[in-house]
């Protein structure tokens, strides 16, 4: 993914293809999950962190190999979501 990210910087047509085939479907899934959480009253639509959710997930995935010299495996991502993402999204305080 890191190499692909670098390649998309030099080739806009590749960036478009990656976005359409990989990024957009993931964003749609995240939006659907968050929309349902908002409808259930679990997350406030005014939580400013919502706009950063894709960045939170992508950041953890891309940073883990650099920081920990390990892949962002399902166990790591599960802990990350439980310990970082959910507390951020479920916070009753809105900045």
């Amino acid at each position: 993914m890191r190499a692909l990210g670098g390649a998309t910087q030099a080739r806009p047509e590749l960036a478009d293809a990656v976005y359409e085939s990989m990024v957009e479907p993931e964003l749609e899934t995240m939006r659907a999950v968050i929309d349902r959480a908002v409808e259930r009253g679990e997350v406030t639509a005014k939580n400013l962190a919502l706009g950063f959710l894709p960045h939170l997930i992508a950041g953890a995935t891309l940073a883990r190999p650099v920081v920990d010299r390990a892949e962002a495996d399902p166990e790591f991502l599960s802990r990350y979501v439980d310990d970082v993402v959910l507390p951020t999204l479920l916070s009753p305080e809105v900045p």
Side-chain angles (χ1 to χ4, degrees):
M1 287 304 292
R2 291 184 300 272
L4 185 57
T8 62
Q9 297 297 311
R11 300 194 50 206
E13 69 279 2
L14 179 60
D16 291 343
V18 168
Y19 186 85
E20 291 172 14
S21 65
M22 297 174 70
V23 176
E24 187 59 34
E26 292 295 326
L27 291 175
E28 288 176 11
T29 299
M30 281 188 209
R31 285 185 202 112
V33 168
I34 292 300
D35 288 348
R36 288 194 303 270
V38 169
E39 289 172 9
R40 290 190 302 266
E42 296 169 347
V43 176
T44 176
K46 294 181 182 181
N47 187 320
L48 299 177
L50 291 175
F52 294 102
L53 181 59
H55 306 88
L56 284 168
I57 301 298
T61 303
L62 296 173
R64 178 106 200 266
V66 176
V67 174
D68 296 333
R69 296 184 182 230
E71 291 302 314
D73 58 19
E75 179 185 340
F76 170 81
L77 291 173
S78 179
R79 286 189 345 240
Y80 181 77
V81 167
D82 288 346
D83 297 344
V84 177
V85 177
L86 288 177
T88 300
L89 296 180
L90 299 176
S91 173
E93 296 182 29
V94 179

